[in-house]
Amino acid sequence: MSTENNCFFCNTKCEVFQTPDHHLANTYRCKYCGEYILLQKGLSEVYDIREPSDKFKIACILNERRLKKLVGIAFDNKTNKEKKICGFPLVSVGDILDEFPKKASDFLNRTLLNLSRLTAGPFDCISRDDMKENEHLLLFNQNRKTRDAFLLELAEQGFIRFNIGSSTLFILTTKFWEMVENLQKTEVGNKRAFVAMWFDKSMDDYYKNGVKKAIEDAGYVPVRIDLQNFNEKICDEIIAEIKRTKFLIADFSGMRTGVFFEAGFAKGLGREVIFTVRKEDIEGLNEHFDTRQYNHIVYDSPEDLRKKLYNRICATIV
Ligand SMILES: [Zn+2]
């Protein structure tokens, strides 16, 4: 049985019904925020939100997730993505708020991606008047005034173009689509995980039963280019693969200079880098390079590496 109610985050009228097989949880189905689950009790983190801007930010993220066709969220006081309610991972309010764009470039890039998901084809017109009340969620802008100012800026930058004589109808320009195609390479849906490590026989087992399995368990595809085939030189293929990757695993066992380069290059591109090192190599690493601020995963067996790396991927890669 579902009842008409309001979305907890964006306040739009939405369906609310008891979560199947969970007497103490409600599923919300909002046309902007998609589906999410709220426990009826003990969810102080959610029910105590006083800041309307926090609710707005959460609605933006949920709306973005819906457009990306990602699975819904079951809110809890602590994130535990391995645990699920009706297939929805448990995620805390803090972790969702953390996904809200922080830098101007994030606002711009994610807005462009959201707009691209609204159209049926590249040169479809979008009507500003047709953007309904809560569609400002798409632009991460809280009200109509800032949304309109942002759209004018997008036009000024050449990403959108208003039809001649119209201040409401606009198209997405060739410049827009070029930018979106570049952004899509690193967006969700990109399942590539580049592995930078020492390709020595002593590392085979750690790769096969540790790194590779952890990446696959987390739903990604490991990409590894054997440096030995390239005389240990950084080649164009490696550079191209790192540009394409969603995140990078840098394993410092054996301290290969290539791994330092690849980790630095990926970080410079803004990719998430996960640092790992074999227990017996940690001292040597600390002696030569100060990478301690990066919180390495230290492991003593392939199984240990698989477990720790899997948990880290689930916790840090969205
Ligand atoms: Zn909503």
Side-chain angles (χ1 to χ4, degrees):
M1 267 277 287
S2 73
T3 49
E4 281 276 309
N5 217 318
N6 284 354
C7 171
F8 187 80
F9 298 106
C10 76
N11 215 26
T12 308
K13 272 217 170 325
C14 81
E15 262 183 89
V16 184
F17 52 91
Q18 191 190 300
T19 307
D21 303 326
H22 276 82
H23 299 305
L24 297 171
N26 290 330
T27 300
Y28 289 68
R29 190 178 287 154
C30 167
K31 67 176 172 178
Y32 298 107
C33 306
E35 282 193 27
Y36 58 90
I37 293 174
L38 293 182
L39 300 170
Q40 289 162 2
K41 284 190 187 139
L43 203 54
S44 52
E45 254 211 53
V46 173
Y47 294 120
D48 289 352
I49 296 176
R50 293 282 170 261
E51 280 292 324
S53 66
D54 278 353
K55 284 194 177 179
F56 162 77
K57 285 178 183 174
I58 293 170
C60 287
I61 298 303
L62 295 179
N63 183 49
E64 186 185 41
R65 289 182 61 91
R66 174 184 63 83
L67 288 168
K68 286 176 170 175
K69 299 187 168 53
L70 295 180
V71 67
I73 293 284
F75 283 90
D76 205 345
N77 293 323
K78 230 179 134 200
T79 297
N80 183 353
K81 289 184 183 167
E82 283 165 68
K83 240 176 114 184
K84 294 186 168 75
I85 299 180
C86 288
F88 292 8
L90 304 185
V91 183
S92 74
V93 166
D95 283 342
I96 287 288
L97 283 174
D98 218 35
E99 285 184 40
F100 192 79
K102 295 172 191 75
K103 291 183 290 189
S105 58
D106 290 341
F107 277 94
L108 175 67
N109 294 345
R110 287 164 66 179
T111 296
L112 296 183
L113 285 164
N114 277 346
L115 284 174
S116 76
R117 296 177 184 116
L118 282 186
T119 58
F123 296 104
D124 252 9
C125 268
I126 296 179
S127 162
R128 180 152 56 165
D129 288 344
D130 286 348
M131 290 181 121
K132 298 186 190 64
E133 197 195 340
N134 268 325
E135 284 181 0
H136 61 263
L137 294 171
L138 289 171
L139 310 178
F140 305 99
N141 275 271
Q142 204 161 357
N143 60 49
R144 180 173 270 269
K145 229 167 123 187
T146 53
R147 186 194 81 193
D148 287 352
F150 189 44
L151 283 174
L152 284 175
E153 174 61 12
L154 291 183
E156 186 75 14
Q157 295 294 326
F159 289 117
I160 63 174
R161 190 169 61 239
F162 285 98
N163 276 12
I164 298 167
S166 168
S167 61
T168 56
L169 270 182
F170 62 84
I171 63 157
L172 308 170
T173 62
T174 309
K175 182 178 173 183
F176 172 97
W177 289 106
E178 277 170 6
M179 177 85 166
V180 163
E181 275 171 29
N182 276 328
L183 293 170
Q184 280 167 343
K185 289 180 188 156
T186 56
E187 254 286 308
V188 170
N190 177 0
K191 293 288 177 195
R192 305 166 85 83
F194 190 91
V195 182
M197 67 186 289
W198 182 28
F199 292 105
D200 183 68
K201 278 235 165 310
S202 68
M203 294 304 293
D204 276 357
D205 199 23
Y206 292 102
Y207 175 73
K208 278 192 203 120
N209 295 310
V211 177
K212 184 170 179 282
K213 285 195 171 151
I215 291 173
E216 288 171 348
D217 290 348
Y220 293 91
V221 180
V223 175
R224 152 188 140 137
I225 294 175
D226 194 333
L227 281 172
Q228 279 160 13
N229 292 339
F230 299 99
N231 302 322
E232 308 247 342
K233 278 188 188 141
I234 305 295
C235 66
D236 291 345
E237 190 178 350
I238 289 175
I239 296 289
E241 277 302 342
I242 296 176
K243 281 183 179 168
R244 272 198 287 270
T245 197
K246 167 98 175 154
F247 63 100
L248 182 138
I249 312 285
D251 185 273
F252 291 101
S253 312
M255 285 187 289
R256 313 310 290 175
T257 46
V259 175
F260 287 92
F261 174 84
E262 287 156 27
F265 184 64
K267 272 215 157 286
L269 291 174
R271 303 285 185 279
E272 193 75 45
V273 179
I274 298 177
F275 293 79
T276 63
V277 63
R278 209 162 42 172
K279 200 172 183 182
E280 63 203 73
D281 288 284
I282 183 88
E283 269 185 32
L285 176 67
N286 286 341
E287 239 172 68
H288 290 92
F289 299 94
D290 196 358
T291 56
R292 278 168 297 183
Q293 74 268 33
Y294 291 124
N295 185 18
H296 299 77
I297 292 173
V298 182
Y299 57 88
D300 56 18
S301 68
E303 295 69 36
D304 187 34
L305 173 58
R306 177 181 180 175
K307 205 170 130 231
K308 287 174 177 167
L309 182 55
Y310 170 77
N311 287 337
R312 184 71 67 87
I313 294 171
C314 291
T316 55
I317 311 297
V318 188

